[in-house]
Amino acid sequence: MPSAASAYPNPGRVTGDTVVHDPTMVRTSSGRYLLYATGGGLGYRTSTDRITFTAGSDAFARKPSWWSSYASEAWAPDISFHGGRYLMYYAVSTFGSNKSAIGLATSATGLPGSWSDHGVVYTSTASSDYNAIDPNLFVDDDGTWWLSFGSWWTGIKMIRIDPSTGEQLSSRTTRYSLASRPTGTKAVEAPYIVKRGSYYYLFASYDVCCAGTSSTYKVKVGRATSITGPYSDKNGVAMMNNGGTPVLESHGSVIGPGGQSIMKDTDGDLIVYHYYDGNDNGTPKLGINLLNWASGWPVAY
């Protein structure tokens, strides 16, 4: 497992308003990048060249009233474009609690102030064995929609989504388990699924975020031939049994990379993430790298 500083690439060059956590990004048909991230009414950055990022207003100028039952701000948004509109799933929770909710908003433009909130999609309570945060929408080739989510507890979960509503498919309420750490730390969260070739790839963040330069966050991946799993890493270890092949780990001043999303761009797949900057007191910064899939496994460069 790579551990030397040279084993991982440095983040690609970005400038401007790059202090973000749990970034998610899309490119509009006109070539503008829209990035949303954890905090407030979901923080917003935009870029025309994927290098210089400028902050704007939050997604929500006024926070939906239902959030107050869970928290005062939203986390870990997931933006995508399907059926002619932008969808953004997000989480509302407090640190270390699994009294949590996943919400959904939609927009014609994806711009701040344009989002219509659709309320709660899925919840967890203090008695749940999972945590309903860190949502990610995956739309399969056959048109089925899936939402993965999860943090700590018994790991990464997934449900079927009704494409017409963006909410759970009422005829299929199974909650699938995709990744877990059955012994020791329960620290796995922030799933993101893509399909490349004949495999589904599940990315997730492992270990501890949000501790500045003491953060031990890292990104790992497994793959499966079925969307519901079983997912295994490069060595054949099941993701349900603490498997996971490293994609990004701490190196040099790039500490605790995670909160990742994967974005298909014109020049290839990107991994978009945050890391804690060892040269800036552990401030969370935007990281963007390309991914090479030639080996059948994603390698950041």
Side-chain angles (χ1 to χ4, degrees):
M1 191 162 74
S3 58
S6 60
Y8 294 103
N10 283 324
R13 188 170 77 91
V14 293
T15 63
D17 297 314
T18 60
V19 176
V20 300
H21 210 274
D22 309 313
T24 179
M25 190 167 77
V26 291
R27 185 177 186 270
T28 68
S29 56
S30 65
R32 175 176 287 275
Y33 295 90
L34 311 178
L35 182 151
Y36 286 93
T38 283
L42 294 171
Y44 169 76
R45 308 284 185 273
T46 186
S47 176
T48 54
D49 60 5
R50 214 173 71 199
I51 295 171
T52 303
F53 285 81
T54 305
S57 303
D58 286 359
F60 294 101
R62 258 191 305 218
K63 297 170 186 175
S65 58
W66 69 266
W67 290 10
S68 62
S69 301
Y70 295 90
S72 60
E73 63 172 9
W75 293 352
D78 176 64
I79 191 171
S80 58
F81 184 79
H82 297 287
R85 66 178 181 171
Y86 293 90
L87 296 95
M88 191 150 59
Y89 289 90
Y90 60 85
V92 189
S93 185
T94 52
F95 203 80
S97 167
N98 67 333
K99 182 192 174 187
S100 309
I102 292 167
L104 169 65
T106 58
S107 164
T109 63
L111 297 174
S114 71
W115 293 94
S116 299
D117 192 59
H118 296 261
V120 175
V121 172
Y122 207 72
T123 62
S124 55
T125 69
S127 60
S128 303
D129 71 351
Y130 63 94
N131 191 3
I133 68 168
D134 294 356
N136 167 239
L137 177 69
F138 173 77
V139 176
D140 210 344
D141 301 334
D142 63 2
T144 53
W145 287 29
W146 301 88
L147 192 74
S148 61
F149 58 89
S151 172
W152 296 60
W153 277 268
T154 60
I156 304 304
K157 308 297 180 183
M158 189 174 66
I159 58 173
R160 270 283 294 276
I161 293 290
D162 184 340
S164 65
T165 63
E167 298 181 0
Q168 186 173 27
L169 190 65
S170 56
S171 60
R172 180 95 167 266
T173 57
T174 306
R175 185 173 58 248
Y176 298 88
S177 293
L178 304 185
S180 180
R181 305 184 80 169
T183 57
T185 175
K186 303 300 180 192
V188 56
E189 59 191 2
Y192 201 99
I193 295 174
V194 298
K195 189 178 187 186
R196 296 292 179 266
S198 55
Y199 288 100
Y200 299 89
Y201 292 84
L202 169 63
F203 295 77
S205 296
Y206 285 72
D207 297 328
V208 178
C209 81
C210 315
T213 55
S214 300
S215 302
T216 56
Y217 233 25
K218 53 187 68 77
V219 180
K220 297 185 183 185
V221 70
R223 71 183 190 184
T225 54
S226 165
I227 180 66
T228 54
Y231 288 85
S232 298
D233 69 15
K234 201 172 183 176
N235 295 326
V237 181
M239 296 280 276
M240 283 297 293
N241 194 30
N242 201 26
T245 295
V247 179
L248 285 173
E249 297 179 289
S250 295
H251 58 100
S253 62
V254 177
I255 298 169
Q260 77 295 326
S261 54
I262 310 300
M263 183 197 142
K264 192 174 187 65
D265 207 346
T266 51
D267 54 343
D269 282 332
L270 307 175
I271 182 166
V272 182
Y273 58 98
H274 72 257
Y275 65 95
Y276 304 95
D277 187 349
N279 295 327
D280 190 15
N281 299 312
T283 301
K285 302 279 182 74
L286 173 63
I288 300 176
N289 286 93
L290 284 154
L291 291 175
N292 183 336
W293 296 89
S295 67
W297 292 91
V299 176
Y301 70 97

